[in-house]
mmCIF file of all heavy atoms in Angstrom:
data_model
loop_
_atom_site.group_PDB
_atom_site.id
_atom_site.type_symbol
_atom_site.label_atom_id
_atom_site.label_comp_id
_atom_site.label_asym_id
_atom_site.label_seq_id
_atom_site.Cartn_x
_atom_site.Cartn_y
_atom_site.Cartn_z
ATOM 1 N N ASN E 1216 -23.712 -11.674 32.774
ATOM 2 C CA ASN E 1216 -23.828 -10.772 33.921
ATOM 3 C C ASN E 1216 -24.843 -11.279 34.959
ATOM 4 O O ASN E 1216 -25.671 -10.537 35.463
ATOM 5 C CB ASN E 1216 -24.232 -9.368 33.462
ATOM 6 C CG ASN E 1216 -23.281 -8.823 32.421
ATOM 7 O OD1 ASN E 1216 -22.065 -8.895 32.596
ATOM 8 N ND2 ASN E 1216 -23.817 -8.318 31.317
ATOM 9 N N ASN E 1217 -24.743 -12.563 35.271
ATOM 10 C CA ASN E 1217 -25.694 -13.155 36.222
ATOM 11 C C ASN E 1217 -25.283 -12.847 37.661
ATOM 12 O O ASN E 1217 -24.320 -12.118 37.903
ATOM 13 C CB ASN E 1217 -25.797 -14.674 35.973
ATOM 14 C CG ASN E 1217 -24.429 -15.341 36.090
ATOM 15 O OD1 ASN E 1217 -23.796 -15.260 37.140
ATOM 16 N ND2 ASN E 1217 -23.966 -15.952 35.006
ATOM 17 N N SER E 1218 -25.976 -13.461 38.577
ATOM 18 C CA SER E 1218 -25.789 -13.108 40.003
ATOM 19 C C SER E 1218 -24.391 -13.431 40.515
ATOM 20 O O SER E 1218 -23.948 -12.909 41.525
ATOM 21 C CB SER E 1218 -26.819 -13.876 40.851
ATOM 22 O OG SER E 1218 -26.585 -15.272 40.694
ATOM 23 N N GLU E 1219 -23.685 -14.312 39.810
ATOM 24 C CA GLU E 1219 -22.345 -14.710 40.236
ATOM 25 C C GLU E 1219 -21.269 -13.823 39.611
ATOM 26 O O GLU E 1219 -20.133 -13.765 40.079
ATOM 27 C CB GLU E 1219 -22.112 -16.182 39.831
ATOM 28 C CG GLU E 1219 -20.747 -16.690 40.222
ATOM 29 C CD GLU E 1219 -20.587 -18.195 40.006
ATOM 30 O OE1 GLU E 1219 -21.609 -18.898 39.816
ATOM 31 O OE2 GLU E 1219 -19.448 -18.660 40.020
ATOM 32 N N SER E 1220 -21.674 -13.153 38.553
ATOM 33 C CA SER E 1220 -20.697 -12.410 37.774
ATOM 34 C C SER E 1220 -20.189 -11.194 38.543
ATOM 35 O O SER E 1220 -20.956 -10.424 39.110
ATOM 36 C CB SER E 1220 -21.365 -11.952 36.470
ATOM 37 O OG SER E 1220 -20.540 -11.027 35.828
ATOM 38 N N ILE E 1221 -18.892 -11.002 38.563
ATOM 39 C CA ILE E 1221 -18.304 -9.810 39.196
ATOM 40 C C ILE E 1221 -17.758 -8.870 38.138
ATOM 41 O O ILE E 1221 -17.983 -7.675 38.169
ATOM 42 C CB ILE E 1221 -17.229 -10.205 40.228
ATOM 43 C CG1 ILE E 1221 -17.904 -10.962 41.383
ATOM 44 C CG2 ILE E 1221 -16.499 -8.969 40.751
ATOM 45 C CD1 ILE E 1221 -16.950 -11.475 42.438
ATOM 46 N N PHE E 1222 -17.036 -9.429 37.181
ATOM 47 C CA PHE E 1222 -16.604 -8.594 36.057
ATOM 48 C C PHE E 1222 -16.462 -9.455 34.806
ATOM 49 O O PHE E 1222 -15.789 -10.478 34.824
ATOM 50 C CB PHE E 1222 -15.276 -7.886 36.363
ATOM 51 C CG PHE E 1222 -14.787 -7.038 35.215
ATOM 52 C CD1 PHE E 1222 -15.611 -6.082 34.627
ATOM 53 C CD2 PHE E 1222 -13.499 -7.190 34.697
ATOM 54 C CE1 PHE E 1222 -15.171 -5.305 33.558
ATOM 55 C CE2 PHE E 1222 -13.060 -6.415 33.641
ATOM 56 C CZ PHE E 1222 -13.895 -5.470 33.073
ATOM 57 N N GLU E 1223 -17.147 -9.026 33.747
ATOM 58 C CA GLU E 1223 -17.051 -9.705 32.464
ATOM 59 C C GLU E 1223 -16.688 -8.684 31.399
ATOM 60 O O GLU E 1223 -17.123 -7.536 31.477
ATOM 61 C CB GLU E 1223 -18.415 -10.336 32.078
ATOM 62 C CG GLU E 1223 -18.891 -11.371 33.057
ATOM 63 C CD GLU E 1223 -20.234 -12.008 32.657
ATOM 64 O OE1 GLU E 1223 -20.696 -11.754 31.518
ATOM 65 O OE2 GLU E 1223 -20.793 -12.737 33.483
ATOM 66 N N ILE E 1224 -15.903 -9.121 30.433
ATOM 67 C CA ILE E 1224 -15.664 -8.259 29.279
ATOM 68 C C ILE E 1224 -16.870 -8.410 28.367
ATOM 69 O O ILE E 1224 -17.204 -9.515 27.935
ATOM 70 C CB ILE E 1224 -14.350 -8.637 28.568
ATOM 71 C CG1 ILE E 1224 -13.176 -8.354 29.505
ATOM 72 C CG2 ILE E 1224 -14.190 -7.851 27.264
ATOM 73 C CD1 ILE E 1224 -11.847 -8.871 29.015
ATOM 74 N N GLN E 1225 -17.563 -7.283 28.147
ATOM 75 C CA GLN E 1225 -18.844 -7.315 27.465
ATOM 76 C C GLN E 1225 -18.670 -7.380 25.950
ATOM 77 O O GLN E 1225 -17.977 -6.555 25.360
ATOM 78 C CB GLN E 1225 -19.648 -6.059 27.822
ATOM 79 C CG GLN E 1225 -19.787 -5.816 29.315
ATOM 80 C CD GLN E 1225 -20.679 -6.845 29.983
ATOM 81 O OE1 GLN E 1225 -21.758 -7.169 29.484
ATOM 82 N NE2 GLN E 1225 -20.233 -7.381 31.113
ATOM 83 N N CYS E 1226 -19.288 -8.388 25.359
ATOM 84 C CA CYS E 1226 -19.198 -8.547 23.910
ATOM 85 C C CYS E 1226 -20.587 -8.805 23.366
ATOM 86 O O CYS E 1226 -21.427 -9.388 24.029
ATOM 87 C CB CYS E 1226 -18.304 -9.728 23.543
ATOM 88 S SG CYS E 1226 -16.642 -9.624 24.245
ATOM 89 N N MET E 1227 -20.805 -8.370 22.133
ATOM 90 C CA MET E 1227 -22.099 -8.659 21.516
ATOM 91 C C MET E 1227 -21.970 -8.692 20.009
ATOM 92 O O MET E 1227 -20.967 -8.260 19.449
ATOM 93 C CB MET E 1227 -23.139 -7.599 21.916
ATOM 94 C CG MET E 1227 -22.939 -6.244 21.262
ATOM 95 S SD MET E 1227 -24.184 -4.998 21.732
ATOM 96 C CE MET E 1227 -25.607 -5.536 20.802
ATOM 97 N N LEU E 1228 -23.006 -9.236 19.386
ATOM 98 C CA LEU E 1228 -23.097 -9.174 17.942
ATOM 99 C C LEU E 1228 -23.868 -7.896 17.636
ATOM 100 O O LEU E 1228 -25.063 -7.804 17.919
ATOM 101 C CB LEU E 1228 -23.829 -10.406 17.402
ATOM 102 C CG LEU E 1228 -23.848 -10.575 15.886
ATOM 103 C CD1 LEU E 1228 -23.893 -12.048 15.521
ATOM 104 C CD2 LEU E 1228 -25.016 -9.837 15.238
ATOM 105 N N VAL E 1229 -23.139 -6.904 17.150
ATOM 106 C CA VAL E 1229 -23.803 -5.646 16.822
ATOM 107 C C VAL E 1229 -24.488 -5.846 15.470
ATOM 108 O O VAL E 1229 -23.815 -6.120 14.477
ATOM 109 C CB VAL E 1229 -22.784 -4.488 16.742
ATOM 110 C CG1 VAL E 1229 -23.494 -3.175 16.474
ATOM 111 C CG2 VAL E 1229 -21.976 -4.406 18.028
ATOM 112 N N PRO E 1230 -25.810 -5.777 15.440
ATOM 113 C CA PRO E 1230 -26.520 -6.142 14.210
ATOM 114 C C PRO E 1230 -25.980 -5.385 12.999
ATOM 115 O O PRO E 1230 -25.734 -4.179 13.069
ATOM 116 C CB PRO E 1230 -27.970 -5.734 14.506
ATOM 117 C CG PRO E 1230 -28.064 -5.734 15.989
ATOM 118 C CD PRO E 1230 -26.718 -5.333 16.501
ATOM 119 N N ASN E 1231 -25.771 -6.120 11.940
ATOM 120 C CA ASN E 1231 -25.325 -5.567 10.665
ATOM 121 C C ASN E 1231 -23.967 -4.880 10.743
ATOM 122 O O ASN E 1231 -23.622 -4.102 9.883
ATOM 123 C CB ASN E 1231 -26.354 -4.575 10.112
ATOM 124 C CG ASN E 1231 -27.681 -5.248 9.875
ATOM 125 O OD1 ASN E 1231 -27.721 -6.326 9.278
ATOM 126 N ND2 ASN E 1231 -28.746 -4.663 10.382
ATOM 127 N N ASN E 1232 -23.239 -5.130 11.764
ATOM 128 C CA ASN E 1232 -21.947 -4.455 11.863
ATOM 129 C C ASN E 1232 -20.840 -5.429 12.307
ATOM 130 O O ASN E 1232 -20.434 -5.437 13.461
ATOM 131 C CB ASN E 1232 -22.063 -3.282 12.845
ATOM 132 C CG ASN E 1232 -20.925 -2.293 12.673
ATOM 133 O OD1 ASN E 1232 -19.901 -2.627 12.075
ATOM 134 N ND2 ASN E 1232 -21.111 -1.100 13.182
ATOM 135 N N PRO E 1233 -20.380 -6.246 11.384
ATOM 136 C CA PRO E 1233 -19.357 -7.234 11.732
ATOM 137 C C PRO E 1233 -18.074 -6.571 12.232
ATOM 138 O O PRO E 1233 -17.364 -7.125 13.067
ATOM 139 C CB PRO E 1233 -19.079 -7.955 10.408
ATOM 140 C CG PRO E 1233 -20.225 -7.622 9.522
ATOM 141 C CD PRO E 1233 -20.736 -6.292 9.966
ATOM 142 N N THR E 1234 -17.791 -5.374 11.725
ATOM 143 C CA THR E 1234 -16.558 -4.698 12.129
ATOM 144 C C THR E 1234 -16.564 -4.417 13.616
ATOM 145 O O THR E 1234 -15.556 -4.579 14.299
ATOM 146 C CB THR E 1234 -16.443 -3.366 11.371
ATOM 147 O OG1 THR E 1234 -16.817 -3.603 10.018
ATOM 148 C CG2 THR E 1234 -15.041 -2.831 11.416
#
Side-chain angles (χ1 to χ4, degrees):
Chain E
N1216 305 313
N1217 57 59
S1218 62
E1219 180 172 345
S1220 169
I1221 295 177
F1222 179 53
E1223 299 181 9
I1224 295 171
Q1225 307 291 314
C1226 304
M1227 72 180 285
L1228 188 150
V1229 183
N1231 299 313
N1232 198 342
T1234 317

